């Protein structure tokens, strides 16, 4: 299987090329409970399904925590 190297929260990771929602699941995250900064810009959820992760991409992923 071909893998690419990306940065996730400042850490290098080797992953299979895929679309963003599938990558989040691979990383053990619930796509409904995170916000994603993609290469320095907040990526709106409506674009996630069409965004294919590429070698060298930088993602900052923040988990949304509820409470009160």
């Amino acid at each position: 299987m071909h893998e690419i190297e990306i940065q996730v929260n400042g850490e290098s990771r080797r992953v299979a090329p895929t679309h963003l929602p599938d990558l989040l699941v691979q990383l053990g995250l619930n796509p409904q409970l995170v916000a994603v900064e993609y290469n320095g810009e907040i990526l709106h959820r409506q674009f996630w399904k069409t965004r294919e992760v590429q070698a060298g991409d930088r993602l900052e992923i923040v988990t949304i925590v509820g409470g009160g």
Side-chain angles (χ1 to χ4, degrees):
M1 175 193 287
H2 174 69
E3 290 188 332
I4 58 172
E5 187 168 328
I6 63 171
Q7 294 279 322
V8 178
N9 294 347
E11 182 180 312
S12 290
R13 293 193 178 238
R14 296 194 63 78
V15 299
T18 189
H19 288 92
L20 184 56
D22 296 329
L23 174 67
L24 295 171
V25 171
Q26 283 181 39
L27 296 174
L29 300 167
N30 180 340
Q32 299 299 318
L33 300 177
V34 298
V36 177
E37 182 183 280
Y38 188 86
N39 294 331
E41 295 186 22
I42 298 295
L43 185 63
H44 294 280
R45 196 172 299 272
Q46 68 193 40
F47 300 113
W48 287 13
K49 289 183 182 178
T50 58
R51 181 66 56 164
E52 187 170 339
V53 179
Q54 305 288 319
D57 282 348
R58 296 179 331 276
L59 285 75
E60 292 293 327
I61 302 171
V62 178
T63 302
I64 300 167
V65 178

